[in-house]
């Protein structure tokens, strides 16, 4: 994260009348109640000046406020619609609109970018929706966007130079930010794929995805995002390695859980994980290793 | 203040939009400069930064933001500003602009550009913040007049006077959005021509043009249509005061193909043709607006633009 580079230290002091007026206007625009803020140190350490006799700024006319209110609601709705198109289909138009209204009321944006507006939508739906798969669908759509947004570590590479799994046992790995592993109870990826690939009108919102607890790898390939269902033992090892476990530790745990695992299968997994960008070398701990071209 | 004056006219430019990027990179049209929406390239973990760098290699760029919230009573967001400064360096932006507005308070963000009361306490407060932001960014801040749908406060000073005094107090520059002038003037029943005549012309470094929609009860600043006739007239009126000034068309909604947008933007060329050169009418300190890339001399700035033209033609 870049560091601030200002020379001055004195923080500007907000007029009390402006503070009070902005709170009233925002409260009206977001239709929420914001408690009055007393004189207190601001977040940057400055003291907010409260002038008891500061002239109040009059509230704007309601017609003008209503225009802003509509624009704000419309903007939030459009951002969430773009971020969660499949959830929109799953909930139906009215259901989605209601959910969005409640979400922006309960989880107001605190980020400078609208890109993060929908970050908590999946958790919100998890609390709100009786159909748990819809929250999982939201988590999948959010993961897809996160994979697309992330800065790649580099092009997916080959396996580190070695001939046997045993050569890699001391290696440390990292989770590329362009990939996610989701714990899911429903095949929402299949449901969503039918929705996107097929005729939208022929995918009624009343259909439900198959119930099947599994872990799903979500990963970016160029400008596209793909999904692959992971087998249970494969997922255990992959999650462990992405979490920082050395290969030796991970393999030992995997072998204990699945004694039939052999080195050929492990090698195939590793090769595929690297090719798909699900796993990368942790350069901090393996800086002297070379990649197989 | 240094009164050696420099022309920084970048010509006629466009706001870079995602659907046009491939066309621009493939065909390299003779666009004077591109304006990048700052927040599109911030807080996303890097999406689009490669595009920024490719465009910046071919064209002059400026940054334009919507989340600075210079008028908010909340403290300045230092993390945001640090990231913005980094983006400005990466893109080689000639200047960084945002709006004279507030977007939220108490840590919340409405993501809308809300008008400020143009009174003395607000003027002093915003002036302090503009200077603080310029310190962090390491370059002067350029502020845009917002479109508005209510008048904040009563008995306040007119917007041009507020802008002029703010520029003097905080040494900032202006991005004058002519469409915003017109939309606000109609909505609030003020004289748009008088607004143009009283804006501090010597502080204007960039102009925005855009379309709006007439909803009957009010004009809505949509950025989704061709520029209206009265807005073009006001643009001509402004150029008579400023001389040729960097001019940019914004088209953000229902975005048509690149050629349609560029043809609309190029209408500005005719207006600029009858205006005097910027250096005859406008006064900006040397080196103030070159993003630190050229060393501050007009010759260096011209060379830099020329290099970019050669790169574009390659």
């Amino acid at each position: 994260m870049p560091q601030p580079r200002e020379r001055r230290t004195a923080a500007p002091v907000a007029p009390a009348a402006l503070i009070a007026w902005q709170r009233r206007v925002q409260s009206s625009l977001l239709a929420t109640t914001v408690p009055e803020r007393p004189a207190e140190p601001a977040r940057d350490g400055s003291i907010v000046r409260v002038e008891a006799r500061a002239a109040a700024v009059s509230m704007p006319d309601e017609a003008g406020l209503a225009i802003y209110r509509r624009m704000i609601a419309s903007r939030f709705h459009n951002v969430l619609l773009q971020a969660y198109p499949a959830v929109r289909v799953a909930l139906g138009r009215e259901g989605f609109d209601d959910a969005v209204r409640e979400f922006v009321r309960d989880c107001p944006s605190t980020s400078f970018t609208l890109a993060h507006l929908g970050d908590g939508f999946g958790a919100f739906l998890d609390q709100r929706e009786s159909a748990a798969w819809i929250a999982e669908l939201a988590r999948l759509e959010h993961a897809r966007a996160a994979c697309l947004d992330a800065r790649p570590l580099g092009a997916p590479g080959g396996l580190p130079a070695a001939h046997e799994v045993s050569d890699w046992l001391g290696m440390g790995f990292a989770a590329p930010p362009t990939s996610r592993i989701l714990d899911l109870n429903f095949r929402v990826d299949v449901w969503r794929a039918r929705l996107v690939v097929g005729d939208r009108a022929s995918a009624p919102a009343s259909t439900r995805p198959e119930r099947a607890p599994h872990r799903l790898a979500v990963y970016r390939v160029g400008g596209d995002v793909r999904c692959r269902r992971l087998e249970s033992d494969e997922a255990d090892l992959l999650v462990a390695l992405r979490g920082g476990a050395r290969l030796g530790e991970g393999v030992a745990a995997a072998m204990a859980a699945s004694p039939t695992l052999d080195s050929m299968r492990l090698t195939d997994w590793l090769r595929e994980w690297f090719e798909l960008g699900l796993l990368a070398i942790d350069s901090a701990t393996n800086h002297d290793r070379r990649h197989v071209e | 203040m240094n009164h050696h004056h420099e022309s920084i006219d970048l010509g006629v430019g466009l706001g870079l939009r995602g659907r046009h990027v491939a066309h621009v990179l493939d065909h390299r049209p003779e666009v004077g400069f591109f304006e990048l929406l700052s927040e599109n390239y911030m807080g996303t973990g890097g999406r689009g930064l490669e595009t920024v760098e490719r465009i910046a290699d071919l064209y002059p760029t400026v940054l334009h933001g919507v989340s600075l919230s210079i008028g908010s009573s909340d403290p300045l967001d230092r993390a945001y500003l640090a990231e913005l400064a980094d983006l400005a360096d990466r893109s080689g932006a000639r200047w960084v602009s945002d709006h004279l507005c507030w977007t939220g308070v108490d840590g919340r963000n409405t993501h809308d550009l809300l008008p400020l009361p143009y009174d003395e306490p607000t003027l002093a407060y915003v002036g302090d913040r503009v200077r603080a932001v310029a310190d962090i960014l390491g370059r002067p801040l350029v502020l845009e007049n917002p479109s508005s749908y209510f008048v904040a406060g009563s008995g306040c000073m007119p917007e041009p006077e507020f802008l002029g005094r703010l520029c003097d107090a905080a040494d900032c520059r202006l991005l004058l959005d002519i469409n915003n002038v017109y939309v606000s003037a109609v909505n609030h029943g003020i004289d748009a021509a008088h607004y143009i005549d009283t804006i501090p012309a010597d502080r204007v470094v960039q102009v925005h043009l855009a379309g709006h929609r007439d909803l009957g009860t009010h004009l809505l600043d949509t950025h989704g249509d061709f520029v209206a006739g009265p807005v073009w007239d006001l643009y001509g009126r402004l150029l008579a005061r400023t001389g040729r000034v960097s001019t940019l068309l914004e088209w953000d909604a229902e975005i048509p193909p690149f050629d349609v947008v560029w043809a609309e933007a190029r209408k500005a060329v005719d207006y600029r043709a009858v205006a005097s050169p910027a250096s005859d009418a406008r006064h900006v300190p040397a080196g103030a607006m070159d993003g630190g890339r050229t060393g501050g001399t007009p010759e260096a700035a011209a060379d830099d633009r020329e290099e970019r033209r050669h790169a574009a033609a390659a």
Side-chain angles (χ1 to χ4, degrees), chain A residues 136-200:
Chain A
E136 289 196 356
L137 183 62
R139 287 173 53 209
L140 172 61
E141 294 206 287
H142 186 260
R144 291 176 57 88
C147 291
L148 268 182
D149 281 352
R151 187 181 311 202
L153 292 176
L159 281 169
H163 298 291
E164 301 291 340
V165 169
S166 58
D167 293 340
W168 304 325
L169 292 181
M171 296 196 77
F173 300 92
T178 49
S179 64
R180 297 286 188 280
I181 308 294
L182 300 179
D183 266 301
L184 299 171
N185 289 306
F186 298 90
R187 293 305 308 266
V188 286
D189 58 319
V190 176
W191 191 90
R192 184 185 177 282
R194 280 208 302 265
L195 194 68
V196 173
V197 175
D199 179 359
R200 205 166 267 256

Side-chain angles (χ1 to χ4, degrees), chain B residues 142-167:
Chain B
V142 178
L143 283 177
E144 175 182 344
N145 56 303
S147 56
S148 61
Y149 307 97
F150 63 66
V151 176
S154 58
C156 296
M157 67 187 87
E159 189 167 274
E161 180 184 343
F162 188 92
L163 286 168
R165 291 181 58 189
L166 181 64
C167 287

Side-chain angles (χ1 to χ4, degrees), chain A residues 2 5-8 12-14 21-23 26 32 34 37 60 64 68 75 109-112 114 116 149 151, chain B residues 43-45 47 49 67 71 73 78 80 82 85 89-90 102 104-106 108-109 111 115 125 135-136 148-149:
Chain A
R5 44 183 151 170
E6 66 189 314
R7 295 187 301 273
R8 304 176 191 193
V13 177
W21 178 80
Q22 290 185 339
R23 285 177 165 174
Q26 178 171 276
T32 59
V34 180
R37 182 173 57 187
Y68 282 103
R75 184 174 295 112
S109 174
T110 57
S111 170
F112 64 79
L114 281 164
H116 294 317
D149 281 352
R151 187 181 311 202
Chain B
T44 62
R47 179 175 58 173
L49 282 177
S67 290
S73 53
R78 307 291 164 141
Y80 169 85
D89 289 345
R90 275 171 168 265
W102 62 289
V105 68
D106 290 323
R108 296 184 178 185
N109 195 343
H111 296 282
Y125 172 63
D135 266 0
I136 295 171
S148 61
Y149 307 97

Side-chain angles (χ1 to χ4, degrees), chain A residues 77 80-97 121 125 134 137 141 191 195 200 205:
Chain A
H77 181 274
L80 291 168
L81 183 59
Q82 265 194 327
Y84 296 99
V87 172
R88 155 70 180 78
V89 175
L91 288 174
R93 181 178 171 181
E94 285 188 14
F96 184 78
D97 291 353
F121 198 47
L125 291 175
I134 293 179
L137 183 62
E141 294 206 287
W191 191 90
L195 194 68
R200 205 166 267 256

Side-chain angles (χ1 to χ4, degrees), chain A residues 117-133:
Chain A
L117 178 68
D119 282 0
F121 198 47
F124 170 81
L125 291 175
D126 206 23
Q127 299 294 316
R128 181 184 187 271
E129 292 299 320
S130 55
W133 68 273

Side-chain angles (χ1 to χ4, degrees), chain A residues 9-267:
Chain A
T9 54
V13 177
L18 183 66
I19 297 170
W21 178 80
Q22 290 185 339
R23 285 177 165 174
R24 290 203 308 275
V25 171
Q26 178 171 276
S27 179
S28 171
L29 294 178
L30 299 181
T32 59
T33 302
V34 180
E36 284 294 312
R37 182 173 57 187
E40 59 187 3
R43 284 179 303 198
D44 62 353
S46 68
I47 301 297
V48 176
R49 181 179 59 206
V50 175
E51 297 172 349
R53 300 191 329 186
V57 182
S58 58
M59 277 293 281
D61 62 275
E62 175 52 33
L65 286 169
I67 293 170
Y68 282 103
R69 209 174 282 132
R70 284 194 296 273
M71 289 196 298
I72 291 167
S74 172
R75 184 174 295 112
F76 286 168
H77 181 274
N78 289 340
V79 167
L80 291 168
L81 183 59
Q82 265 194 327
Y84 296 99
V87 172
R88 155 70 180 78
V89 175
L91 288 174
R93 181 178 171 181
E94 285 188 14
F96 184 78
D97 291 353
D98 289 345
V100 166
R101 267 194 298 275
E102 291 175 28
F103 175 68
V104 298
R105 181 197 65 201
D106 296 349
C107 309
S109 174
T110 57
S111 170
F112 64 79
T113 170
L114 281 164
H116 294 317
L117 178 68
D119 282 0
F121 198 47
F124 170 81
L125 291 175
D126 206 23
Q127 299 294 316
R128 181 184 187 271
E129 292 299 320
S130 55
W133 68 273
I134 293 179
E136 289 196 356
L137 183 62
R139 287 173 53 209
L140 172 61
E141 294 206 287
H142 186 260
R144 291 176 57 88
C147 291
L148 268 182
D149 281 352
R151 187 181 311 202
L153 292 176
L159 281 169
H163 298 291
E164 301 291 340
V165 169
S166 58
D167 293 340
W168 304 325
L169 292 181
M171 296 196 77
F173 300 92
T178 49
S179 64
R180 297 286 188 280
I181 308 294
L182 300 179
D183 266 301
L184 299 171
N185 289 306
F186 298 90
R187 293 305 308 266
V188 286
D189 58 319
V190 176
W191 191 90
R192 184 185 177 282
R194 280 208 302 265
L195 194 68
V196 173
V197 175
D199 179 359
R200 205 166 267 256
S202 68
S206 58
T207 62
R208 294 167 60 95
E210 173 196 358
R211 182 178 177 83
H214 66 289
R215 273 171 286 187
L216 187 72
V218 183
Y219 55 97
R220 173 167 142 194
V221 178
D224 193 17
V225 176
R226 297 176 189 169
C227 300
R228 187 168 81 75
R229 181 177 177 170
L230 301 167
E231 296 305 320
S232 177
D233 48 1
E234 179 190 13
D236 287 342
L237 180 56
L238 178 57
V239 168
L241 297 181
R242 287 166 59 93
R246 296 297 175 122
L247 184 61
E249 303 162 12
V251 167
M255 298 287 276
S258 302
T260 57
L261 268 184
D262 57 43
S263 62
M264 186 173 293
R265 197 167 167 208
L266 285 169
T267 306

